């Protein structure tokens, strides 16, 4: 950003690094903090009137994700608020119409975040409030028609909310004769998925979507892949190969067809797709083969500017069934990124807080990606405990760790367990699929699935003797997937679930992920 942007009189709100940038550019100072501040914090207001914090109550819950901080604001700025870790948590210079907050008002965990954004957008910038994603349907259909022109659209549908809503929008914009879809069964899907997809699309029109069974093609090249990013690339490239074969077999290569995708905004940000975002995870629909299609203009992504909750709102306006719209998000690379692998056998390490498990998972700290071992803390999860808060604190103070889990049930004590050399085999994916089906069934029966936004079930190669894999439960609450809270499960459901999972001989243990996002991402890979 250029300094001149701050001198035009246009209002600017700097969030997190944005506040730091304003300070740095205008003669203040920014320094690395002694410790990080990742997660919930309390905002204490200083006395005096403020435009940006107008109407915000003192002692509010906010969400932080930073280590660097403003140490001295530029001349003309007033410090508005502090937290126990951050002396300068909000600043403003109303004369120059410049505002900064170190915390994140855009996430739900900042209780009065919307109020702050409203102050900026409506009071300070003077905007009018008339935004409703559902009302944009006609506009989206126009955009689709413009982008597609005379061509037809071909989709690889996943059965998820995003690709189904994008597909339905294209159907409405172009008519059933110009839109076709194929669902690729990669062998990495959940139990019952293919049948669900068949049912859903039959409801949208006979023959618009076919099923292609390609399990072997995906599993063979994944056999020795352990790195999460490489998994995504292999799966993405395989998707492109399967797609090209299908397109060729159907004679769709003549330039009359383009590819439709259900990419949504967070996919773009976290894949480093916006100019300044770091790559946390390369989502499978941003791999080189697809990039090439995008560069040659043969792609339409009608939902690329929307968040998940907005996509659901559009889906409701389109009258898509609730069974589909209420589905938890499921990642494109499927069970592959929930089945973790290890290069070699490795022991666990005893640390003051518990055990360090040498299985690495992805995290997001500040705006950067981390890939670190997991800490198993010594405590038993219970609905009444505040383990999640403790976990956040432990992760913040323990260097080199981005995720904490706790044990629900184990066959052998942790001192006798190890991480086993393992890869993505048919058997392990099948084991994960069985575990996932049990979790889904019990959460549906008890209604717990409607209390969470997503519930990944992860398989890690941790165990002893013949039982060489453990299951990690990761129920989270979120609004848009950008941040998330680890959710405490009802004790009786947790016990019943773990009893059913432990009845499977190959499963050595059941664990519970206590990590919020940040510092851990929702998926482990
Ligand atoms: P993370 O794990 O980054 O996930 O906190 C945020 C949301 O994105 C989903 N996710 C993916 N979806 N392809 C997808 O289509 C991917 O490679 C991918 N990785 C994560 C994740 O399930 C969550 O809803």
């Amino acid at each position: 950003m250029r300094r001149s942007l701050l001198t035009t009189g246009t209002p600017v709100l700097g969030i997190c690094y944005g506040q730091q940038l304003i300070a740095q550019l205008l003669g203040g100072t920014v320094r690395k903090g002694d410790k990080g501040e990742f997660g919930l914090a309390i905002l204490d207001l200083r006395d005096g009137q403020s435009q940006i914090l107008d109407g915000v109550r003192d002692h509010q819950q906010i969400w932080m994700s930073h280590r660097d901080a403003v140490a001295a604001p530029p001349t003309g700025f007033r410090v508005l608020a502090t937290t126990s870790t951050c002396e300068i948590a909000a600043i403003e210079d109303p004369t120059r119409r410049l505002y900064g907050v170190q915390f994140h008002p855009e996430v739900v965990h900042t209780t009065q975040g919307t109020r702050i954004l409203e102050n900026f957008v409506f009071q300070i910038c003077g905007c009018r409030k008339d935004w409703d994603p559902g009302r944009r349907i006609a506009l989206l259909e126009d955009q689709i028609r413009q982008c597609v022109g005379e061509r037809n659209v071909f989709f690889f549908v996943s059965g998820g909310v995003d690709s189904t809503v994008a597909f339905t929008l294209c159907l409405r914009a172009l008519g059933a004769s110009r839109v076709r879809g194929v669902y690729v069964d990669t062998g990495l899907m959940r139990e019952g998925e293919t049948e669900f997809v068949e049912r859903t699309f039959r409801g949208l029109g006979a023959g618009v979507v076919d099923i292609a069974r390609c399990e072997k093609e995906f599993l063979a090249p994944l056999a020795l892949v352990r790195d999460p990013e490489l998994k995504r690339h292999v799966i993405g490239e395989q998707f492109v190969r399967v797609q090209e074969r299908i397109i060729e077999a159907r004679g769709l290569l003549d330039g009359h067809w383009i590819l439709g995708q259900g990419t949504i905004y967070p996919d773009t940000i976290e894949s480093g797709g916006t100019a300044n975002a770091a790559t946390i995870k390369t989502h499978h629909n941003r791999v080189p083969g697809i990039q090439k299609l995008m560069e040659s203009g043969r792609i339409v992504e009608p939902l690329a500017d929307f968040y998940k909750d907005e996509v659901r709102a559009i889906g409701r306006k389109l009258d898509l069934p609730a069974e589909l719209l209420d589905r938890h998000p499921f990642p494109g690379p499927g069970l592959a990124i929930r089945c973790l692998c290890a290069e070699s056998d490795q022991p666990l390490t005893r640390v003051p807080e518990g055990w360090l498990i040498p299985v690495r998972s992805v995290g997001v700290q500040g705006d950067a990606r981390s890939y670190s071992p997991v800490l198993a803390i010594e405590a038993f999860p219970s609905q009444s405990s505040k383990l999640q808060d403790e976990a956040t604190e432990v992760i913040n103070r323990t260097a080199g760790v981005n995720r904490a889990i706790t044990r629900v049930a184990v066959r052998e004590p942790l001192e006798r367990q190890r991480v086993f050399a393992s890869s993505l085999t048919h058997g392990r994916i099948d084991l994960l699929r069985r575990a996932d089906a049990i979790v889904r069934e019990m959460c549906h029966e008890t209604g717990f699935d409607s209390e969470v936004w997503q519930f990944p079930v992860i398989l890690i190669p941790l165990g002893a003797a013949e039982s060489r894999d453990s299951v990690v439960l990761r129920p989270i609450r979120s609004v848009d997937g950008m941040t998330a809270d680890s959710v405490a499960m009802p004790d009786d459901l947790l016990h019943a679930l773990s009893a059913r999972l432990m009845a499977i001989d190959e499963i050595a243990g059941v664990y519970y992920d206590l990590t919020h996002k940040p510092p851990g991402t929702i998926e482990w890979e």
Side-chain angles (χ1 to χ4, degrees):
M1 182 162 102
R2 284 206 306 273
R3 195 180 169 279
S4 57
L5 283 179
L6 302 175
T7 56
T8 59
T10 307
V12 175
L13 170 61
I15 295 176
C16 191
Y17 290 162
Q19 164 167 296
Q20 296 169 21
L21 190 60
I22 290 176
Q24 182 85 14
L25 288 173
L26 297 181
T29 49
V30 177
R31 282 212 198 95
K32 196 175 184 69
D34 296 335
K35 56 178 189 161
E37 196 178 22
F38 300 106
L40 294 183
I42 296 294
L43 187 74
D44 289 313
L45 302 187
R46 293 219 177 145
D47 289 340
Q49 291 263 310
S50 154
Q51 288 186 347
I52 194 70
L53 299 185
D54 182 38
V56 171
R57 288 185 297 276
D58 191 18
H59 215 60
Q60 276 301 296
Q61 176 183 303
I62 53 157
W63 184 264
M64 285 286 201
S65 183
H66 73 114
R67 188 176 289 271
D68 294 346
V70 176
T75 317
F77 277 80
R78 196 167 74 78
V79 177
L80 311 172
T82 58
T83 72
S84 59
T85 308
C86 179
E87 267 298 305
I88 302 182
I91 53 176
E92 73 181 17
D93 177 354
T95 325
R96 283 187 281 180
R97 304 177 86 195
L98 300 176
Y99 308 82
V101 288
Q102 181 56 61
F103 53 93
H104 288 265
E106 76 281 14
V107 304
V108 279
H109 309 82
T110 297
T111 321
Q112 285 198 285
T114 307
R115 171 74 199 224
I116 295 169
L117 295 177
E118 282 176 351
N119 285 345
F120 182 69
V121 174
F122 303 119
Q123 309 309 328
I124 295 170
C125 300
C127 295
R128 248 183 329 117
K129 199 177 201 168
D130 58 1
W131 170 255
D132 169 4
R135 287 219 323 257
R136 293 204 58 191
I137 288 174
L139 202 64
L140 285 172
E141 289 177 12
D142 273 350
Q143 282 168 359
I144 292 170
R145 280 189 286 268
Q146 256 181 33
C147 168
V148 175
E150 296 297 308
R151 299 169 292 185
N152 299 322
V153 182
F154 188 80
F155 265 87
F156 284 90
V157 296
S158 69
V161 179
D162 307 339
S163 64
T164 313
V165 170
F167 185 87
T168 311
L169 281 170
C170 287
L171 264 186
R172 281 173 55 125
L174 306 169
S177 62
R178 294 180 57 196
V179 185
R180 284 287 171 274
V182 164
Y183 165 80
V184 176
D185 185 347
T186 58
L188 301 166
M189 307 309 282
R190 303 168 129 190
E191 204 169 280
E193 192 67 22
T194 305
E195 296 72 15
F196 176 84
V197 169
E198 276 180 317
R199 263 201 325 277
T200 308
F201 285 98
R202 221 179 292 132
L204 289 179
V208 289
V209 169
D210 298 329
I211 309 287
R213 292 176 202 275
C214 306
E215 175 178 355
K216 282 207 189 94
E217 267 172 86
F218 281 86
L219 287 193
L222 280 173
L224 294 174
V225 179
R226 297 190 172 86
D227 177 78
E229 284 294 282
L230 203 53
K231 280 182 188 174
R232 285 189 169 80
H233 279 271
V234 169
I235 293 168
E237 289 302 324
Q238 213 52 36
F239 257 119
V240 170
R241 221 163 281 155
V242 169
Q243 164 202 318
E244 276 164 4
R245 202 185 60 226
I246 292 173
I247 288 178
E248 203 176 324
R250 288 169 167 239
L252 310 175
L253 274 176
D254 56 5
H256 285 108
W257 289 83
I258 69 170
L259 188 72
Q261 288 213 119
T263 311
I264 64 171
Y265 191 57
D267 302 344
T268 317
I269 307 178
E270 293 198 347
S271 296
T274 55
N276 300 310
T279 298
I280 307 296
K281 293 175 184 179
T282 306
H283 281 214
H284 67 289
N285 42 14
R286 281 283 183 270
V287 296
I290 301 252
Q291 291 284 13
K292 248 189 260 158
L293 282 171
M294 291 177 76
E295 281 153 22
S296 58
R298 290 187 59 197
I299 204 145
V300 56
E301 294 181 314
L303 302 173
D305 291 336
F306 293 91
Y307 285 94
K308 194 94 189 175
D309 48 334
E310 297 174 318
V311 173
R312 289 200 167 113
I314 294 172
R316 273 192 293 277
K317 291 267 183 208
L318 293 172
D319 284 331
L320 287 170
E323 186 194 4
L324 173 97
L325 296 175
D326 297 340
R327 296 192 100 194
H328 294 168
F330 187 64
L335 298 177
I337 55 162
R338 293 182 177 175
C339 186
L340 275 72
C341 307
E343 222 41 81
S344 54
D345 284 14
Q346 285 171 68
L348 312 193
T349 314
R350 194 84 178 92
V351 290
E353 295 81 11
W355 291 92
L356 211 52
I357 303 176
V359 164
R360 286 196 288 171
S361 83
V362 179
V364 50
Q365 286 159 299
D367 277 350
R369 176 188 201 263
S370 57
Y371 188 44
S372 319
V374 178
L375 181 70
I377 62 175
E378 301 272 355
F380 193 81
S382 136
Q383 207 178 2
S384 53
S385 72
K386 291 259 186 282
L387 270 188
Q388 271 85 351
D389 295 346
E390 278 168 41
T392 306
E393 217 268 307
V394 171
I395 297 168
N396 279 345
R397 77 175 131 88
T398 314
V401 167
N402 60 8
R403 195 177 291 277
I405 60 176
T406 182
R407 160 182 95 221
V408 182
V410 281
R411 278 187 214 290
E412 298 282 346
L414 277 164
E415 46 267 49
R416 268 190 255 142
Q417 298 208 30
R418 58 175 44 245
V419 164
F420 288 97
S422 47
S423 54
L424 268 180
T425 58
H426 186 86
R428 292 187 73 228
I429 289 174
D430 222 42
L431 179 60
L432 173 56
R433 186 179 290 119
R434 277 158 68 200
D436 177 71
I438 291 172
V439 174
R440 272 202 299 160
E441 182 195 315
M442 294 187 73
C443 290
H444 185 66
E445 276 166 9
T446 54
F448 185 66
D449 59 355
S450 62
E451 287 177 39
V452 293
W453 190 78
Q454 195 177 12
F455 194 159
V457 176
I458 321 288
L459 197 72
I460 56 173
L462 171 70
E466 294 309 304
S467 309
R468 296 179 161 212
D469 280 298
S470 292
V471 168
V472 185
L473 306 172
R474 174 128 181 80
I476 58 102
R477 243 176 238 137
S478 177
V479 171
D480 52 23
M482 298 294 286
T483 60
D485 273 351
S486 157
V487 179
M489 276 175 92
D491 295 349
D492 44 353
L493 174 59
L494 188 58
H495 290 294
L497 247 181
S498 112
R500 272 195 64 191
L501 291 168
M502 292 302 283
I504 301 175
D505 289 342
E506 294 98 311
I507 294 180
V510 175
Y511 297 80
Y512 202 92
D513 190 340
L514 301 164
T515 324
H516 298 313
K517 174 185 180 179
T521 47
I522 297 174
E523 307 285 353
W524 276 42
E525 292 203 320

